[in-house]
Amino acid sequence: MPVVMLLAYAGLAPTRAAAAAPYVVNTNADGAAVPTDCTGSNACTLRDAISLANTAGGTNSITFAATVTSPIVLNAGTLTVAGENLTIHGLASSTTVIDGNNASNVFTISSGATLTLSEATVQHGAATTANGGGFANAGTLNLLDDDVTANSAAASGGGPFCPPICSGSSGGGIASSGTLTLTRTTVSGNAATSDGGGIDITGGTATLVQSSFVQNTANFAAGVFARFGTLTASQDLFDGNAATSWSGALMTEGNSVVVNSTFFNNHSGSTGVYGWGAGVLMIGGSLSLVNDTIVDNTATDTGGGLAVWAGSVASVTNTVISGSSPTNCYSNGVGTFTSSGGNNDDTDNSCLLTASGDRHDADPMADTTVRSNGGPTQTLALMPGSPLIAAGSDAGCTTGAQSLDQRGVTRPQGAHCDIGAFEVSSSATYVTVSQPAAGGPVTITATVLGPSDLSGTPQGSVAFTKNGSPLASQSLSGAGTASMTLTETDAADPTFAAVYTPTNGFFASTGSVDFTPNNGSSTPPPPPPPPPTSPTTSASPTTPETGAAGSELLGFVLICIGGMAVLVGGAAPVARREKAS
């Protein structure tokens, strides 16, 4: 009688058939490709491996031996991916470094080819006669957890008044006319003599997710120029990009949607040169801005935050445009140049936003600079008491990509969504008390945690109390904890509490615990549990207690014998505790 057994235990998935072995690069040398070198114990260069993959066609992959830790400096020109689907997986972006030697661009992706590059740095590429210092993409390019830095498109040309058509090179970091996707990738310190210091998009589609565009330079559109095609940007940071003429961060002429992204400290223009739209410049096509933060951008002429070319209209929803100079917004046309979806904050009323929920606060009470507040990109946190908190439209922030803020925090955390790219997060404060020796000192520890799916740690201070009377205030450590020690003489069991006051974009919270002094038989309570994946925003005190033992199904075995099926489950006791709010 045939017997079939399926085993599923603790999330164990069925084993898949092994994929074909990748080509393994085992040297940082470069030179003319010799594909036979990738056999046996021979030295296999990255160029050798790519040549082999191009010849094989189909789907191929390349990895790196753990010993390849020095930069791979190219001396034989660009690395061309042609006629295949190639994945190159580095060891880490700080370890796998591919250097163009400032002599050629680093990668060329031909039409019909696909390159997926992860965990690597591409630097010092130079497009001296064409576009795309780091990457020239006519096919499909996927970048995952990469750094694209210090590349250049440096052909002569350009000039201070050349938009929208210029000579010179474009796309210092990346020039793309095909399909482009960036995920958790940093594009920084790249330069172009014409446009698109970071990226120049001349067609196709571009999707930018959880990526940073920092300190890129160009004649215009220093960060990204979406010249044609379709651009979707979500949870991105544009910081410190500078153009000598128009558009410091993003210039769009195609069809662009930007969601939950921050434009901060970008610059456009120079002495005697028009400098519009340091944050965002729209010169055609369509543009939708949803839940974005456009703050403290500077233009030498006008419209430091958002500038719109005559005849175009930008759609703006749940977005803050603030602190940019000389004005937040500008259009060289006549009449309305923005279409408000409501619930925006334009602090100087230059954007002409008048729909329901639009406001003009003098101070949005945001942080003074971008910081690491959790998530893959730096963000501009809202401070306690900001008028932007819970002032957004839920209809514009609870579906699709709009349902997560720039860090990945679920919206809303409060009564309604916040305006801008940053959603103030819930927190949970836990209090534990220990008294190792009978009659000895008592140590009270407060631990403040944010949502379990957010890497950022709450900062600020906690105020300790005993039976409602103040004890002391302490600043949180980098790990989100604070402690104090005192001598406990009360015979009655006291209640210790900690009230958390945030400074970096979290809601306040309170935790407490009833403590029985150590008379020789009591033991310290267990450490606090982690917060839930979807925390609440309640700030009411809750005393943590050890719950009754329960049980959870840990795994099962499904045995099929003929037409019979037997399910055998395993269980084990699980202790549960309530958490403080």
Side-chain angles (χ1 to χ4, degrees):
M1 180 170 56
V3 178
V4 180
M5 177 179 288
L6 298 176
L7 174 61
Y9 189 83
L12 184 64
T15 303
R16 294 181 177 180
Y23 302 106
V24 179
V25 175
N26 57 20
T27 176
N28 68 335
D30 187 45
V34 182
T36 55
D37 281 352
C38 291
T39 59
S41 60
N42 294 333
C44 178
T45 70
L46 177 58
R47 192 178 300 275
D48 293 337
I50 292 175
S51 177
L52 271 174
N54 286 341
T55 301
T59 299
N60 299 282
S61 63
I62 295 173
T63 61
F64 296 82
T67 54
V68 183
T69 57
S70 298
I72 297 172
V73 180
L74 304 183
N75 57 33
T78 186
L79 299 168
T80 299
V81 179
E84 61 163 322
N85 184 341
L86 176 62
T87 296
I88 301 177
H89 185 68
L91 300 172
S93 61
S94 60
T95 302
T96 302
V97 178
I98 307 168
D99 191 309
N101 203 20
N102 290 315
S104 67
N105 71 323
V106 180
F107 283 98
T108 298
I109 301 92
S110 302
S111 177
T114 296
L115 171 63
T116 299
L117 177 68
S118 63
E119 300 283 357
T121 291
V122 172
Q123 67 181 25
H124 299 157
T128 57
T129 60
N131 302 323
F135 299 85
N137 174 47
T140 298
L141 174 61
N142 304 309
L143 300 181
L144 176 64
D145 296 313
D146 294 316
D147 288 333
V148 181
T149 184
N151 301 283
S152 63
S156 61
F161 299 103
C162 62
I165 299 175
C166 293
S167 58
S169 290
S170 303
I174 303 168
S176 180
S177 59
T179 300
L180 174 67
T181 303
L182 271 64
T183 305
R184 296 187 302 275
T185 290
T186 297
V187 179
S188 64
N190 303 284
T193 54
S194 180
D195 60 86
I199 303 178
D200 183 52
I201 303 163
T202 59
T205 62
T207 304
L208 315 176
V209 181
Q210 297 181 336
S211 294
S212 298
F213 304 88
V214 180
Q215 295 183 349
N216 300 286
T217 59
N219 183 40
F220 66 99
V224 174
F225 185 14
R227 189 192 305 264
F228 302 114
T230 300
L231 168 67
T232 302
S234 177
Q235 300 173 297
D236 298 316
L237 170 67
F238 295 80
D239 175 25
N241 302 284
T244 55
S245 59
W246 298 350
S247 182
L250 171 64
M251 184 169 173
T252 175
E253 190 177 8
N255 300 311
S256 299
V257 176
V258 183
V259 179
N260 284 314
S261 296
T262 295
F263 297 80
F264 176 78
N265 191 35
N266 299 285
H267 181 82
S268 63
S270 53
T271 302
V273 177
Y274 289 120
W276 299 349
V280 180
L281 173 60
M282 177 188 185
I283 63 173
S286 64
L287 170 63
S288 175
L289 301 171
V290 182
N291 281 113
D292 294 315
T293 295
I294 305 174
V295 173
D296 291 352
N297 301 283
T298 303
T300 58
D301 189 40
T302 189
L306 168 65
V308 180
W309 195 263
S312 297
V313 176
S315 173
V316 187
T317 304
N318 276 8
T319 290
V320 55
I321 308 176
S322 168
S324 295
S325 62
T327 61
N328 286 329
C329 293
Y330 173 75
S331 174
N332 64 339
V334 177
T336 301
F337 59 92
T338 56
S339 173
S340 176
N343 298 82
N344 300 287
D345 194 0
D346 161 25
T347 55
D348 68 359
N349 202 17
S350 62
C351 302
L352 308 183
L353 301 170
T354 59
S356 175
D358 285 339
R359 52 196 303 140
H360 310 288
D361 296 296
D363 183 2
M365 296 179 66
D367 201 350
T368 57
T369 188
V370 292
R371 307 179 194 274
S372 297
N373 295 308
T377 60
Q378 291 189 321
T379 51
L380 199 67
L382 298 181
M383 296 294 98
S386 168
L388 306 185
I389 295 174
S393 167
D394 293 343
C397 68
T398 55
T399 58
Q402 302 165 10
S403 64
L404 302 176
D405 83 344
Q406 186 175 332
R407 301 167 298 161
V409 172
T410 300
R411 294 181 185 269
Q413 291 278 303
H416 301 286
C417 298
D418 300 344
I419 292 176
F422 189 94
E423 184 81 6
V424 175
S425 304
S426 59
S427 68
T429 296
Y430 303 92
V431 178
T432 57
V433 182
S434 64
Q435 188 180 28
V442 172
T443 298
I444 312 166
T445 300
T447 300
V448 184
L449 300 176
S452 61
D453 53 354
L454 176 65
S455 60
T457 302
Q459 294 298 292
S461 61
V462 293
F464 292 101
T465 64
K466 173 186 172 183
N467 295 331
S469 299
L471 291 174
S473 292
Q474 301 283 347
S475 296
L476 291 177
S477 69
T481 62
S483 298
M484 66 166 295
T485 301
L486 75 160
T487 301
E488 179 53 51
T489 58
D490 287 356
D493 294 352
T495 297
F496 293 107
V499 179
Y500 164 56
T501 299
T503 60
N504 71 327
F506 289 84
F507 286 115
S509 57
T510 300
S512 63
V513 63
D514 295 329
F515 177 66
T516 300
N518 186 350
N519 58 11
S521 60
S522 63
T523 57
T533 300
S534 300
T536 66
T537 58
S538 170
S540 59
T542 302
T543 301
E545 298 176 355
T546 301
S551 64
E552 294 183 354
L553 187 65
L554 298 181
F556 63 87
V557 176
L558 178 62
I559 304 177
C560 300
I561 305 177
M564 299 179 62
V566 180
L567 176 67
V568 180
V574 178
R576 295 181 174 86
R577 305 175 70 228
E578 298 179 5
K579 75 176 184 66
S581 63

